[in-house]
Amino acid sequence: GAVVSQHPSWVICKSGTSVKIECRSLDFQATTMFWYRQFPKQSLMLMATSNEGSKATYEQGVEKDKFLINHASLTLSTLTVTSAHPEDSSFYICSASESASLVDEQYFGPGTRLTVT
Amino acid sequence: GIQVEQSPPDLILQEGANSTLRCNFSDSVNNLQWFHQNPWGQLINLFYIPSGTKQNGRLSATTVATERYSLLYISSSQTTDSGVYFCAVRSGSYQLTFGKGTKLSVIP
């Protein structure tokens, strides 16, 4: 089956620094990638949708200058949390799809747990 | 924005039992998805089902868009079905909104 990896699986950083999270599709070409955020013991929030080679589409209320998303190739998308603060601590999950259609399956990465001290 | 309510919030089942999870939403939707998150945090998307009925093995889902609800059926539950089931909806171009989930525990 399709595999999506995320790196790192967990990261601790100091307030004010930036953190980059990578999402890779290992055995298929990801036309579309999605980034989600999950607060501890809470529900999920879709942050943005990105298509290879174009700018990401951010959901309402998500700061695009704070959460920089780059989908540079058909196998790699990155999320950079800029000037991180403790309230950015969360579980970040990416998913990838071979098409732009929601009818097709999304394959999820294992998530990255970010702790900002 | 659109409101999403999932019920029940918690469900404990004996292995082999069947269950029905419900997702109510407050507005018309053009996107409805069901997801499963296992106890280790791994997500799987189960169905994209803004209307109609779909089946995949022991799981099936039905969305009655006119009455603003969706149901997820799990038959012959297994311990691997444990985890949290999320419903997510989008109305027009508004944000994709997730429900708070139903936590399912299947005991052997």
Side-chain angles (χ1 to χ4, degrees):
Chain A
V3 179
V4 175
S5 70
Q6 279 185 243
H7 178 81
S9 54
W10 59 270
V11 57
I12 301 172
C13 71
K14 292 191 175 181
S15 191
T17 61
S18 294
V19 175
K20 181 183 285 188
I21 301 170
E22 292 186 348
C23 176
R24 292 181 185 273
S25 57
L26 300 185
D27 50 3
F28 66 100
Q29 294 190 323
T31 300
T32 308
M33 285 186 165
F34 304 86
W35 286 95
Y36 299 83
R37 180 177 180 177
Q38 186 173 33
F39 294 95
K41 297 185 180 181
Q42 292 191 28
S43 190
L44 291 149
M45 180 183 80
L46 175 64
M47 299 175 69
T49 302
S50 71
N51 294 295
E52 184 265 338
S54 60
K55 289 185 178 179
T57 301
Y58 289 81
E59 295 290 306
Q60 290 177 359
V62 178
E63 300 175 61
K64 58 181 68 175
D65 294 331
K66 172 80 172 172
F67 299 99
L68 301 178
I69 292 171
N70 187 320
H71 192 164
S73 76
L74 284 171
T75 59
L76 173 65
S77 177
T78 59
L79 166 68
T80 301
V81 182
T82 62
S83 188
H85 290 283
E87 58 265 29
D88 299 323
S89 298
S90 202
F91 191 48
Y92 293 89
I93 307 168
C94 73
S95 71
S97 174
E98 293 180 273
S99 78
S101 171
L102 289 172
V103 177
D104 294 324
E105 190 163 358
Q106 295 177 46
Y107 303 98
F108 285 86
T112 296
R113 192 163 301 281
L114 169 63
T115 302
V116 184
T117 61
Chain B
I2 193 167
Q3 305 298 312
V4 183
E5 288 187 15
Q6 290 188 243
S7 60
D10 294 278
L11 183 60
I12 301 174
L13 292 177
Q14 200 78 39
E15 199 169 24
N18 302 327
S19 63
T20 301
L21 281 56
R22 188 177 180 102
C23 173
N24 291 334
F25 42 94
S26 60
D27 203 347
S28 58
V29 298
N30 53 10
N31 179 346
L32 189 147
Q33 299 178 64
W34 283 96
F35 298 86
H36 174 230
Q37 187 172 37
N38 73 14
W40 296 272
Q42 179 68 51
L43 272 165
I44 299 172
N45 84 299
L46 300 175
F47 295 104
Y48 169 73
I49 186 166
S51 64
T53 297
K54 289 186 177 179
Q55 180 159 6
N56 184 0
R58 295 182 296 104
L59 301 181
S60 64
T62 295
T63 297
V64 184
T66 53
E67 298 189 18
R68 299 182 182 170
Y69 71 88
S70 183
L71 302 175
L72 177 70
Y73 304 96
I74 305 174
S75 64
S76 303
S77 59
Q78 301 176 359
T79 55
T80 52
D81 296 329
S82 296
V84 182
Y85 291 81
F86 292 103
C87 164
V89 303
R90 189 190 300 274
S91 179
S93 59
Y94 292 102
Q95 185 170 22
L96 185 70
T97 302
F98 283 79
K100 293 185 178 181
T102 291
K103 183 176 180 181
L104 174 64
S105 301
V106 181
I107 54 177

